[in-house]
Amino acid sequence: MNKIWLSSPHMGGQEIKYVQEAFDTNWIAPLGPNVDNFERDLCQYTGAGHAAALSSGTAALHLALVLLGVSAGDVVLCQSFTFSASANPIVYQGATPVFIDSETDTWNMCPDALETAIRHYVAKGKKPKAIIAVHLYGMPAQMKAIVALSELYDIPVIEDAAEGLGASYFGQKLGTFGTLNVLSFNGNKIITTSGGGALLSNHGAFVEKSRFLATQARDPAPHYQHSHIGYNYRMSNVCAGIGRGQMEVLDERVAQRRANFAFYAHQFADFEGVTFQPEAEGSFSNRWLSCVLIDPLRTNHRTREDVRLALEQQNIESRPLWKPMHLQPIFEDTPYFGGKVSEKLFENGLCLPSGSNLTNEDRARTSAAFKSCFEI
Ligand SMILES: *Cc1c(COP(=O)(O)O)cnc(C)c1O
C-alpha cells in the first residue's frame, strides 16, 4: 500500500522551465529575474502593493517585527492556536508573546479575547506593539473585527497568511489585510518553492527596507559597510523559478483542496459527533488542510487518536490540529487571554490527507479507514 501523505508538494510542470532559465543565464544568486517576476506575480494575484520574496515564512515574520520596531521588553499579541513559527520571532526580538484564544466560528483569533488583552496592557501603560493574526488551515480569521480593534487602539496587524494563500475574505485576498503580511512556500503549503516565504504590504517603504535587511543590510558604499544589523533572508532565483510555475496553478490547487474537503464533508456528513472547520459567511477558505473534530461524547467514545491510529495502520498520514502555544512547554509561563476553545480543538481535531495531488483512490482509502473506526 502506497503511503498517503498529509500534504505533499505538487508541481504543475512549468516550474522546470523557469528553473532552467535561471541555470541557462547563470542567475543562481539570491536575486535575479525569477525573484522580480515572482514578486510581481504575488502582487498581481493578491492585490498587495508590494512583495519581497524571502527564504521562509518565519524570516518574513521576523522581518515584520523588526520593521515595526519590536524590541526587548515589548508585548506582541499572537494567536495561540497556530504553528510555533508564528510566535518564535517575537522571542528572537527579545519581546514577550501574549497568546490569544480562538473563537469557534473560524478557529482563529477571538476578537473579544484580543480586546481584553489590549485593554489589560494599555491600562498597565504597556501598549502592545503588534497583533499577529493567523488564518489557520487557510480559513480567514475575523479580519473586520481584528482590523477594527487594530485601528481603534492604533496597533498594527501582522497577518500570518502562511497557510492562507488563495483564500479570501469578503472578496479580498488574504495577505492584504495587515500592515505587514506573511506568506510561506514551505514544502507542505498550498504552493511551494521547496522552501521560501514572502512579506507583502501596501507600504512600499516597509518592503523596500525588508529587502535591505534581508541582504545583510549593506550601506551604499563600494566596500562592505553596515549601519544596521542585517539578515540573510532573501529567496534564491532558483527557488523563485519554482514559485513562478506554481503561481500558474495556484487557483487549480485551491479548487483541488476544496474538492478534498467537500469529499470528506459528504462522506462523513451523517456521522454523529464528526464535524468540520466551518466556513463563515464572506469567507472563502483555500482548505489547505481538511480538518475534522471528533467529539468522544457523541461518538460512543471514539477519539481523534483512534482515528489517527486507524489511518496510520493503513499507511495514511493524518495529524492532530496544532497544539496551542499556551500549552507548549517552552511557553509555559507566557501570559494567555481566553478560555478553552483552542484547547478543545486540539483535543478533538484531526487533519486528514489534503494534498492537491490526492487521487480518488487515495481519498476512498482514507474514507474507508476513517469509517472503519465507527463500525459497531
Ligand atoms: C508554515 C507556517 C509558518 C512558517 O513558514 P516557513 O516558511 O515554514 O518558515 C508560519 N506560520 C504558520 C501558521 C505556518 O503554517
Side-chain angles (χ1 to χ4, degrees):
M1 262 184 310
N2 68 306
K3 171 130 186 169
I4 299 176
W5 298 96
L6 188 71
S7 176
S8 67
H10 186 186
M11 294 297 107
Q14 295 304 304
E15 294 84 0
I16 195 74
K17 181 182 84 187
Y18 298 112
V19 172
Q20 189 65 48
E21 250 171 54
F23 274 70
D24 291 346
T25 53
N26 204 30
W27 278 106
I28 309 296
L31 80 177
N34 279 338
V35 172
D36 298 340
N37 284 309
F38 184 44
E39 290 174 346
R40 185 207 56 202
D41 292 348
L42 288 170
C43 288
Q44 264 175 13
Y45 183 87
T46 58
H50 307 268
L54 301 170
S55 55
S56 71
T58 310
L61 277 157
H62 189 193
L63 288 183
L65 294 173
V66 171
L67 289 166
L68 293 177
V70 171
S71 61
D74 286 338
V75 166
V76 175
L77 308 174
C78 180
Q79 185 163 320
S80 185
F81 191 43
T82 186
F83 177 45
S84 64
S86 304
N88 285 338
I90 303 169
V91 181
Y92 301 167
Q93 285 307 100
T96 304
V98 170
F99 293 119
I100 310 293
D101 200 6
S102 291
E103 36 77 14
T104 51
D105 289 348
T106 74
W107 300 5
N108 291 304
M109 186 179 265
C110 171
D112 294 337
L114 173 63
E115 184 160 29
T116 306
I118 294 174
R119 286 186 176 198
H120 173 88
Y121 285 100
V122 167
K124 289 208 322 192
K126 192 124 196 63
K127 191 169 96 169
K129 272 290 184 71
I131 299 164
I132 301 179
V134 188
H135 307 293
L136 225 54
Y137 306 114
M139 184 63 67
Q142 289 190 20
M143 292 315 290
K144 279 186 180 170
I146 292 168
V147 168
L149 288 171
S150 145
E151 285 169 357
L152 181 62
Y153 293 97
D154 189 29
I155 303 170
V157 170
I158 299 170
E159 225 190 307
D160 180 348
E163 302 176 4
L165 180 59
S168 56
Y169 180 74
F170 290 94
Q172 184 180 335
K173 288 280 196 296
L174 300 189
T176 59
F177 288 88
T179 301
L180 291 157
N181 311 292
V182 169
L183 300 176
S184 167
F185 312 108
N186 193 23
N188 58 353
K189 297 289 163 39
I190 190 143
I191 60 166
T192 183
T193 58
S194 162
L199 189 68
L200 271 51
S201 179
N202 286 332
H203 306 274
F206 272 146
V207 173
E208 205 41 56
K209 187 155 183 209
S210 78
R211 292 196 182 102
F212 164 76
L213 293 171
T215 48
Q216 309 286 19
R218 278 184 69 186
D219 293 343
H223 54 277
Y224 278 76
Q225 177 159 307
H226 306 275
S227 322
H228 293 86
I229 293 295
Y231 306 87
N232 185 4
Y233 278 173
R234 206 68 161 112
M235 180 180 282
S236 96
N237 194 56
V238 176
C239 291
I242 306 176
R244 288 182 73 186
Q246 288 272 277
M247 285 305 287
E248 294 175 7
V249 293
L250 173 55
D251 280 334
E252 211 176 303
R253 298 294 177 259
V254 173
Q256 286 157 327
R257 297 219 179 218
R258 286 183 63 90
N260 289 335
F261 177 83
F263 173 83
Y264 293 131
H266 179 71
Q267 289 291 314
F268 313 140
D270 299 330
F271 282 60
E272 177 72 17
V274 176
T275 53
F276 293 87
Q277 186 178 27
E279 192 172 46
E281 198 207 319
S283 289
F284 179 84
S285 172
N286 64 14
R287 294 290 183 190
W288 172 56
L289 296 183
S290 291
C291 304
V292 285
L293 295 179
I294 295 150
D295 178 0
L297 300 176
R298 293 167 57 208
T299 56
N300 206 3
H301 310 297
R302 270 102 173 169
T303 64
R304 72 117 155 96
E305 200 50 17
D306 295 334
V307 176
R308 192 186 70 76
L309 292 172
L311 293 176
E312 192 174 78
Q313 219 166 39
Q314 302 291 319
N315 208 18
I316 300 167
E317 185 183 31
S318 67
R319 193 174 298 155
L321 300 190
W322 297 119
K323 180 171 182 174
M325 289 306 112
H326 72 280
L327 301 178
Q328 298 287 354
I330 186 69
F331 292 125
E332 217 168 43
D333 301 324
T334 304
Y336 171 68
F337 287 79
K340 296 210 173 279
V341 174
S342 57
E343 199 171 325
K344 203 79 199 151
L345 290 167
F346 169 61
E347 237 171 70
N348 290 346
L350 191 69
C351 306
L352 298 172
S354 302
S356 46
N357 48 7
L358 289 183
T359 63
N360 288 340
E361 218 169 55
D362 292 337
R363 296 194 301 201
R365 227 174 90 200
T366 303
S367 166
F370 186 101
K371 287 177 178 176
S372 71
C373 285
F374 290 82
E375 279 155 13
I376 339 156

